[in-house]
């Protein structure tokens, strides 16, 4: 991938900032998401809550289903490939997907290596629990990062933990002396130049969204106040009582995340939130996949 | 001079950084009270036009801003901002401010694989760096519209009295302030 292509891919993530990316499983849901103000949709066969319930091996979605969603909406369409499954990624690139999510939500195809994302023209977003994971994914070619959170739970605790960890990691690097950066790169197991970038600029070199467990407008605003530049909402919308209304409310909450009055207004009467599973009570932590 | 930027979704911080570099005062519009303030120019940044268009209505900003633009407020739209100002969109039924006599095509270069960067002229400026991200272009222009930039036969920047639009993103180019300067010098100051 040429440097200018990588820049263009980072630029697309910049255009998504301040927006909500919604998981959808059908063209109808995609249309609802677009009409509610989603800045992009993630096309997948089963939303994380159902993947969790079904168990077994979870893979890239059927291209036919992805194409159906691409034809249904005009906003960017993302889709997931399994961690390390570069052929699934090749297929998604052939479909001209706008962003590939190399995702821990699907079953990993490789327990050691991630996809070499520099080999692709289409952009990748990857999950991270901390700065070390985030910078490794960027070194591999990711042009956007999201917290892993714990998908399909409706429990925001892990997303909060991961966002705080990333932000703390950044603040720590900023506070170091220049001659301490080499050792930091060693400790984090990431390239020196990325540590240097974070030290000089006080942020990641790519856009950083929040994902995994966001279920309410307040959750979304919480993640924004903690430093997220936008939010992915998976099961939280289409597993709730009134998806349309909730989707709209979350979109507005991300724009006005700093205004409690607005947040109070739009949190009203949204119907039932997704039931949710306590992230401490589940057996498989998706976030532990792909470190 | 004070410029307002709609900060509903998309790349508004990038515009703010340029205004800081130029030493121009600005503020963000996120709700009705913001839109009612006094300001000398408005920037409609890039992002998803469907999202921003939706939020303009939902947050009760639409009519306030439309009437200001109609009564001559200088406005600069990039990418999604261009779509919001267009009178016609050839491949979409939605319409937003509809204040500029142009017909635009959304996602005119296709999906992300069609995104590209190039250089071109803009009015009297040469070698302007241009970044196109899932960009639109202008298919037709009507009365009073001055074409400022053409790339590969397609119109990518234009002006109509108080309104300036670019299909590309000058806010994404580091250390490049020329188009914003044009907006300030040629449109706001000469108003």
């Amino acid at each position: 991938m040429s440097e200018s292509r990588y820049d263009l891919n980072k630029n697309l993530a910049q255009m998504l900032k301040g927006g909500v990316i919604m998981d959808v499983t059908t063209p109808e849901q995609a249309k609802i998401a677009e009409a509610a103000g989603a800045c992009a949709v993630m096309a997948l066969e089963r939303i994380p809550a159902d993947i969790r319930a079904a168990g077994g091996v979870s893979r890239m979605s059927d291209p036919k289903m992805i194409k159906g969603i691409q034809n249904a909406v005009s906003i960017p369409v993302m889709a997931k490939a399994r961690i390390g499954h570069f052929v699934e990624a090749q297929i998604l690139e052939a479909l001209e997907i706008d962003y590939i999510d190399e995702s821990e939500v699907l079953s990993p195809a490789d327990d050691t290596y991630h996809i070499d994302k520099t080999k692709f023209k289409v952009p990748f977003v990857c999950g991270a629990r901390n700065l070390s994971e985030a910078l490794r994914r960027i070194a591999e070619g990711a042009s956007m990062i999201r917290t892993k959170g714990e998908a399909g739970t409706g429990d925001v605790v892990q997303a909060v933990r991961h966002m705080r960890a990333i932000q703390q990691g950044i603040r720590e690097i900023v506070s170091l002396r220049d001659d301490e950066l080499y050792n930091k790169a060693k400790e984090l197991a990431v390239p020196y130049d990325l540590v240097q970038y974070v030290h000089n600029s006080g942020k990641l070199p790519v856009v950083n969204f929040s994902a995994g467990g966001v279920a309410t407008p307040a959750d979304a605003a919480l993640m924004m106040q903690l430093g997220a530049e936008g939010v992915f909402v998976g099961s939280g919308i289409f597993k709730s009582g009134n998806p349309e209304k909730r989707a709209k409310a979350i979109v507005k909450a991300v724009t006005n995340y700093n205004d409690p009055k607005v947040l109070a207004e739009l949190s009203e009467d949204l119907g039932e939130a997704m039931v949710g599973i306590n992230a401490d009570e589940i057996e498989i932590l998706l976030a532990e996949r792909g470190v | 001079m004070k410029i307002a930027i709609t900060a509903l979704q998309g790349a508004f911080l990038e515009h703010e950084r340029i205004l800081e570099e130029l030493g121009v005062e600005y503020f963000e519009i996120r709700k009705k009270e913001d839109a009612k303030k006094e300001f000398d120019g408005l920037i409609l940044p890039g992002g998803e036009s469907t999202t921003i268009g939706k939020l303009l209505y939902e947050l009760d900003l639409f009519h306030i801003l439309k009437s200001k633009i109609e009564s001559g407020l200088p406005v600069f739209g990039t990418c999604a901002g261009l779509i919001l100002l267009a009178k016609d969109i050839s491949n979409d039924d939605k319409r937003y401010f509809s204040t500029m006599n142009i017909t635009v095509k959304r996602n005119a270069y296709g999906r992300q694989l069609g995104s590209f960067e190039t250089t071109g002229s803009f009015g009297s400026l040469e070698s302007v760096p241009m970044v196109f991200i899932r960009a639109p272009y202008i298919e037709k222009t009507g009365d009073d519209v001055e074409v400022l930039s053409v790339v590969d036969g397609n119109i990518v920047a234009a002006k109509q009295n108080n309104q300036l639009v670019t299909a590309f993103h000058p806010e994404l180019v580091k250390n490049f302030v020329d188009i914003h300067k044009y907006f300030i010098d040629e449109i706001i100051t000469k108003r």
Side-chain angles (χ1 to χ4, degrees):
Chain A
M1 181 172 47
S2 70
E3 201 174 312
S4 78
R5 179 50 55 184
Y6 185 55
D7 282 337
L8 291 168
N9 288 341
K10 288 199 287 186
N11 288 157
L12 176 59
Q14 283 175 276
M15 291 305 139
L16 300 172
K17 282 190 303 181
V20 181
I21 300 168
M22 302 182 192
D23 278 2
V24 297
T25 57
T26 62
E28 290 70 35
Q29 286 185 356
K31 281 183 187 153
I32 292 173
E34 183 178 45
C39 67
V41 290
M42 176 77 69
L44 72 177
E45 254 157 3
R46 279 192 298 223
I47 56 175
D50 292 335
I51 291 175
R52 201 174 268 292
V57 176
S58 175
R59 310 177 179 89
M60 178 190 78
S61 298
D62 184 335
K64 188 176 170 187
M65 172 266 174
I66 293 171
K67 282 197 229 161
I69 288 172
Q70 283 177 317
N71 290 332
V73 294
S74 62
I75 55 180
V77 177
M78 303 183 165
K80 292 181 192 291
R82 283 180 267 178
I83 289 174
H85 206 315
F86 50 85
V87 174
E88 284 188 349
Q90 289 164 6
I91 291 170
L92 292 175
E93 182 169 68
L95 295 175
E96 295 197 17
I97 204 81
D98 291 298
Y99 243 97
I100 297 175
D101 183 4
E102 186 182 17
S103 178
E104 70 284 357
V105 170
L106 305 182
S107 309
D110 193 316
D111 51 15
T112 308
Y113 302 103
H114 277 74
I115 296 170
D116 177 1
K117 293 166 273 289
T118 63
K119 294 280 184 292
F120 291 79
K121 281 188 182 156
V122 287
F124 280 80
V125 53
C126 287
R129 291 179 300 176
N130 49 49
L131 187 62
S132 167
E133 288 185 10
L135 294 180
R136 271 199 296 283
R137 299 296 86 78
I138 294 166
E140 293 157 3
S143 45
M144 180 177 180
I145 291 293
R146 55 171 176 77
T147 58
K148 285 178 175 170
E150 193 53 36
T153 60
D155 190 348
V156 80
V157 64
Q158 307 263 10
V160 167
R161 188 181 300 158
H162 301 161
M163 185 54 73
R164 279 194 187 273
I166 291 172
Q167 303 293 349
Q168 283 165 3
I170 292 172
R171 287 196 298 275
E172 195 200 335
I173 287 181
V174 169
S175 74
L176 295 177
R177 280 164 51 100
D178 285 353
D179 61 3
E180 292 165 345
L181 298 178
Y182 300 99
N183 189 59
K184 193 41 129 181
K186 191 175 76 180
E187 270 175 28
L188 293 178
V190 301
Y192 170 72
D193 60 328
L194 289 176
V195 173
Q196 206 179 21
Y197 180 93
V198 172
H199 177 71
N200 293 336
S201 63
K203 58 188 189 62
L204 291 179
V206 304
V207 166
N208 181 22
F209 268 47
S210 179
V214 173
T216 67
D219 287 350
L222 173 67
M223 297 317 302
M224 294 296 289
Q225 288 196 26
L226 285 171
E229 296 179 277
V231 174
F232 283 85
V233 185
S235 320
I237 289 173
F238 288 101
K239 276 284 166 191
S240 74
N242 187 343
E244 215 168 329
K245 196 167 178 193
R246 184 166 294 266
K248 273 191 203 172
I250 293 177
V251 168
K252 278 195 265 185
V254 168
T255 297
N256 281 299
Y257 66 93
N258 258 330
D259 193 326
K261 249 192 195 159
V262 177
L263 294 175
E265 217 171 282
L266 54 86
S267 297
E268 225 172 85
D269 201 21
L270 293 179
E272 243 172 283
M274 71 176 286
V275 178
I277 325 166
N278 187 314
D280 285 333
E281 293 168 2
I282 50 183
E283 284 176 10
I284 299 175
L285 271 181
L286 303 175
E288 287 174 358
R289 294 169 170 177
V291 294
Chain B
M1 180 188 305
K2 199 185 269 181
I3 293 180
I5 303 178
T6 49
L8 305 180
Q9 189 270 325
F12 48 86
L13 291 174
E14 288 76 354
H15 282 284
E16 294 175 8
R17 236 162 271 145
I18 293 180
L19 295 180
E20 277 164 26
E21 212 168 306
L22 291 170
V24 176
E25 210 182 318
Y26 66 85
F27 67 93
E28 296 180 347
I29 295 183
R30 290 175 191 262
K31 53 187 178 186
K32 213 172 170 177
E33 296 79 69
D34 303 328
K36 284 181 177 166
K37 291 181 192 163
E38 287 289 312
F39 46 94
D40 307 297
L42 173 69
I43 292 181
L44 303 171
E48 276 306 311
S49 61
T50 52
T51 304
I52 300 171
K54 174 95 194 157
L55 284 166
L56 282 170
Y57 281 107
E58 296 260 323
L59 298 167
D60 295 326
L61 304 170
F62 185 81
H63 296 288
I64 304 173
L65 295 178
K66 183 175 161 83
S67 81
K68 287 193 181 205
I69 295 168
E70 279 172 342
S71 49
L73 174 76
V75 58
F76 176 22
T78 59
C79 196
L82 175 155
I83 293 166
L84 296 177
L85 291 169
K87 196 148 270 177
D88 270 310
I89 306 172
S90 64
N91 54 349
D92 198 329
D93 297 333
K94 293 188 201 74
R95 297 291 178 273
Y96 305 96
F97 293 125
S98 294
T99 46
M100 193 164 173
N101 287 327
I102 51 174
T103 302
V104 307
K105 186 177 181 188
R106 284 187 66 199
N107 301 332
Y109 301 93
R111 302 182 190 281
Q112 173 61 6
L113 283 175
S115 294
F116 65 102
E117 60 176 8
T118 186
T119 55
S121 62
F122 172 96
S124 60
L125 300 172
E126 296 292 333
S127 312
V128 169
M130 300 177 178
V131 179
F132 294 84
I133 305 294
R134 284 175 50 97
Y137 59 63
I138 299 170
E139 289 183 323
K140 260 193 305 202
T141 60
D143 291 347
D144 299 327
V145 177
E146 180 189 343
V147 173
L148 291 169
S149 187
V150 176
V151 168
D152 298 333
N154 302 310
I155 303 168
V156 295
K159 179 185 129 159
Q160 179 187 331
N161 306 319
N162 58 322
Q163 306 179 72
L164 172 68
V165 292
T166 62
F168 53 90
H169 292 280
E171 78 279 12
L172 291 179
V173 183
K174 269 196 198 108
N175 307 319
F176 178 71
V177 299
D178 296 6
I179 309 293
H180 288 75
K181 238 174 135 331
Y182 177 91
F183 175 54
I184 291 164
D185 295 345
E186 297 298 318
I187 299 186
I188 299 182
T189 314
K190 288 191 180 166
R191 189 192 173 187

